[in-house]
Amino acid sequence: MTKARTRTRVGPLATNPEPAPPLDVDALLDDRSTGIIVCCGSGGVGKTTASAALALRAAERGRRVVVLTIDPARRLAQSMGIEALDNTPRPVKGLKLPGGNGRSKGAPLLDAMMLDMKRTFDEVVESQANAEKARQILENPFYIALSSSFAGTQEYMAMEKLGQIHADAKRDGTYDLIVVDTPPSRSALDFLDAPERLSSFLDGRFIRLLLTPARGPARMMTAGLGLITSALNRILGTQVLRDMQTFVAAFDTLFGGFRARAQKTFQLLQADGTAFLVVAAPEPDALREAAYFVERLEEDDMPLAGLIVNRASPAPVGTVSADEAMAASERLRKEDPSSLTAGLLRLHADQTRIVEREALLRDRFAAAHPQVPTVVVPALAGDVHDLDGLRRVGELMAGTD
Ligand SMILES: Nc1ncnc2c1ncn2[C@@H]1O[C@H](COP(=O)(O)OP(=O)(O)OP(=O)(O)O)[C@@H](O)[C@H]1O
Ligand SMILES: [Mg+2]
């Protein structure tokens, strides 16, 4: 990864007042200085699909790629050979690689993995604590609950895994591009916010308060703290509270490590070798979310590569406008209420209106964020669940269709 080139930075950092050209996906993938691509966006917009499609396309164009997916649909995971949650990148079979499918040094390749959140957490604990302490933490019920269900853990672990893969790739030269999918959060911002939220929770006053009785001698407990503890005891039960205290006491030494790593990954995300792609559906909520995210990247000085408007309604064929089609449909229906042509014209009118509305939403986004290169990917007829589907999405993203 070089620092030679600066990516599109929007807002006050932008130097070019002209509207951005369309997003050139192939230029991004072919650029050897692109080392990390992160696909963000609100829930269900196509982040996992876009990540897998970009990774496949990059590999088939000659890059050495690993894609870190989160909760891919079962059939898609199967087609990529990653049904098992083992936290290890696995080779994807069935690629059309330039110069054959060898895994020789420097040859293009595609590995994929599915993030196992709990396992990633466990691995961090194991790598940071001695065996006895690690065991204490791993067996603690509070840890088990936190590592598998705390809101934000998945985001944190995605970052953690990215940091690990990046360090390995740098050391061994296994990959020259890491494509990262992000968790299905309601808000795209969670990916950036959750690690901080999680570490400030672990680091926070509430936890410190709980920790005190476990650490200090009983006489140090103030009357106030005693009251809080006994209230918590009543609410949570003695055992839960004790588990939390033991957990935090054991976990305490790891805090520094966790924070430092999260910060390092944050810096990695700010580097010029990183490219954020914001995925959105052509709907008001998803585009509003995308706009927030674009602004947030700007605040955090993170390099935005562009916006993918995914699952756009395909434009209907023909040149008849929605109004003309509607008027003709109504005329026909008056003459023959069961007219098939009237029905088809109505459908054409509806479809045209949807396409127009989507274009309006995109225009609004572009007016507010003129520097964001954008590409529109139409909705395919069915779900994207195999390599052919991914390849097709890749072609549509690259505009080589
Ligand atoms: N261009 C497209 N055409 C047709 N179907 C698509 C397209 N893009 C994505 N899909 C389908 O939409 C569904 C949601 O996509 P995907 O799982 O990639 O979204 P996501 O943003 O990762 O969702 P989550 O937030 O739940 O993780 C999937 O069934 C996928 O196959
Ligand atoms: Mg997903």
Side-chain angles (χ1 to χ4, degrees):
M1 261 175 244
T2 64
K3 276 250 165 201
R5 191 178 41 83
T6 309
R7 280 189 202 293
T8 318
R9 309 249 175 188
V10 290
L13 295 168
T15 46
N16 182 5
E18 296 292 309
L23 173 63
D24 188 341
V25 165
D26 282 346
L28 180 73
L29 300 180
D30 292 348
D31 182 344
R32 299 285 153 161
S33 75
T34 309
I36 296 175
I37 295 177
V38 187
C39 293
C40 299
S42 44
V45 291
K47 300 177 292 292
T48 305
T49 308
S51 317
L54 287 163
L56 177 64
R57 189 165 180 90
E60 292 187 337
R61 293 176 72 83
R63 307 274 322 249
R64 298 170 63 76
V65 190
V66 60
V67 56
L68 167 53
T69 66
I70 295 164
D71 273 344
R74 205 186 145 82
R75 283 175 74 192
L76 180 64
Q78 273 168 352
S79 75
M80 298 180 80
I82 49 169
E83 306 99 288
L85 263 174
D86 63 359
N87 242 8
T88 311
R90 301 275 171 213
V92 176
K93 297 202 181 77
L95 304 198
K96 294 179 183 165
L97 293 179
N101 206 347
R103 293 182 70 85
S104 54
K105 200 169 184 304
L109 61 85
L110 176 60
D111 284 356
M113 67 162 280
M114 177 160 45
L115 179 78
D116 180 339
M117 177 174 76
K118 175 146 178 20
R119 194 160 178 145
T120 304
F121 213 148
D122 292 356
E123 284 167 5
V124 175
V125 171
E126 281 161 359
S127 71
Q128 299 284 303
N130 65 36
E132 174 54 22
K133 201 161 200 175
R135 197 187 51 78
Q136 262 180 29
I137 296 176
L138 297 181
E139 285 175 359
N140 186 293
F142 183 66
Y143 168 78
I144 294 169
L146 178 80
S147 61
S148 40
S149 62
F150 187 78
T153 309
Q154 203 165 27
E155 283 83 357
Y156 182 87
M157 289 305 138
M159 281 217 190
E160 178 65 43
K161 198 72 206 171
L162 167 62
Q164 281 174 18
I165 292 182
H166 182 258
D168 291 351
K170 215 165 147 189
R171 199 187 48 236
D172 311 334
T174 339
Y175 309 114
D176 61 22
L177 176 64
I178 306 170
V179 183
V180 188
D181 178 21
T182 51
S185 332
R186 192 191 54 79
S187 157
L189 294 177
D190 283 351
F191 178 65
L192 296 176
D193 287 337
E196 179 57 30
R197 221 183 302 139
L198 180 67
S199 47
S200 51
F201 167 74
L202 291 174
D203 225 359
R205 281 185 55 201
F206 173 65
I207 290 278
R208 300 270 140 207
L209 211 64
L210 287 174
L211 189 58
T212 316
R215 254 188 188 164
R219 66 186 152 75
M220 279 180 61
M221 262 173 62
T222 61
L225 189 54
L227 276 178
I228 293 174
T229 313
S230 62
L232 280 172
N233 255 330
R234 272 203 307 280
I235 299 165
L236 299 171
T238 324
Q239 187 56 41
V240 174
L241 189 64
R242 202 175 301 136
D243 287 342
M244 276 170 98
Q245 288 169 343
T246 332
F247 164 70
V248 173
F251 208 75
D252 201 32
T253 47
L254 304 184
F255 282 148
F258 265 79
R259 269 195 179 270
R261 295 154 84 89
Q263 264 160 16
K264 226 168 132 193
T265 311
F266 222 73
Q267 280 162 10
L268 192 62
L269 294 177
Q270 287 173 324
D272 277 343
T274 298
F276 278 88
L277 283 172
V278 180
V279 186
E283 288 155 13
D285 286 353
L287 280 166
R288 198 174 313 122
E289 220 17 81
Y292 287 147
F293 198 76
V294 163
E295 286 155 24
R296 174 59 187 278
L297 288 179
E298 178 197 330
E299 267 170 43
D300 286 349
D301 194 21
M302 290 188 175
L304 171 71
L307 170 75
I308 298 172
V309 180
N310 187 34
R311 298 185 88 168
S313 303
V317 281
T319 51
V320 184
S321 77
D323 287 347
E324 286 165 349
M326 204 60 193
S329 167
E330 259 146 40
R331 253 193 331 269
L332 283 176
R333 210 185 291 273
K334 265 187 207 135
E335 287 163 21
D336 171 12
S338 61
S339 161
L340 187 64
T341 318
L344 287 173
L345 282 164
R346 174 75 204 246
L347 213 61
H348 177 90
D350 290 347
Q351 190 63 24
T352 308
R353 285 202 175 120
I354 291 172
V355 170
E356 282 168 3
R357 198 176 59 221
E358 290 180 5
L360 197 71
L361 287 169
R362 286 201 308 275
D363 288 349
R364 230 180 266 161
F365 182 95
H369 301 278
Q371 264 96 31
V372 181
T374 302
V375 66
V376 179
V377 176
L380 302 185
D383 272 0
V384 184
H385 51 73
D386 56 16
L387 293 195
D388 284 339
L390 291 176
R391 221 170 260 131
R392 178 102 183 90
V393 171
E395 284 162 7
L396 291 165
M397 283 196 284
T400 55
D401 181 53

